Amino acid sequence: MMHYDQPEFYKFGEDSILLSKFISEHIEKGIAKDALGLEIGTGCGVISLELLSLRPSLQIVAIEKQKEFLPYIKSNQERLQKELGEINFSFSHQKLEELKSSHKFD
């Protein structure tokens, strides 16, 4: 697990790491290795970025409605990219109702 920047008002728990591992194991069992995932309410990006550290071929789109998280998501993404190289991760500040995408998520 990598070190994650996070705001003082929010601390992620071990459940975020466990969820990433759980998803990774299920990808191994049959979901396309290059699947396109959507994370709603990404916080500081822990779940998506942990999953990408385990499955770098995935593509993940993350959205977060609280703008306070955006600098943390960005710094965590940059840290993982230094470790792995380019990753297929994008994030935006928006509500789910505002999401407009031509993509079908897996």
Side-chain angles (χ1 to χ4, degrees):
M1 179 180 86
M2 112 176 163
H3 167 77
Y4 288 95
D5 293 333
Q6 50 191 326
E8 285 297 317
F9 64 85
Y10 170 81
K11 301 294 179 202
F12 71 89
E14 184 181 5
D15 58 328
S16 298
I17 305 302
L18 294 173
L19 179 57
S20 299
K21 290 178 181 177
F22 176 81
I23 295 167
S24 177
E25 290 168 7
H26 279 73
I27 289 169
E28 186 68 30
K29 294 177 183 175
I31 296 175
K33 305 276 189 259
D34 60 349
L36 176 61
L38 172 65
E39 183 181 11
I40 302 164
T42 193
C44 57
V46 174
I47 295 171
S48 290
L49 296 172
E50 274 296 305
L51 184 55
L52 283 166
S53 73
L54 298 168
R55 303 281 176 195
S57 65
L58 293 177
Q59 301 174 60
I60 298 179
V61 174
I63 60 174
E64 176 54 59
K65 71 178 190 175
Q66 296 180 52
K67 65 182 178 187
E68 296 84 5
F69 281 104
L70 299 181
Y72 301 98
I73 299 168
K74 185 169 178 55
S75 68
N76 291 330
Q77 177 186 17
E78 290 169 353
R79 183 176 290 118
L80 185 61
Q81 283 177 315
K82 285 180 184 174
E83 200 174 296
L84 295 179
E86 196 60 36
I87 57 173
N88 295 310
F89 177 73
S90 62
F91 65 89
S92 63
H93 172 234
Q94 63 183 323
K95 296 178 183 176
L96 177 60
E97 302 85 35
E98 300 167 346
L99 180 65
K100 293 184 184 352
S101 177
S102 59
H103 301 291
K104 179 182 174 191
F105 296 99
D106 296 304

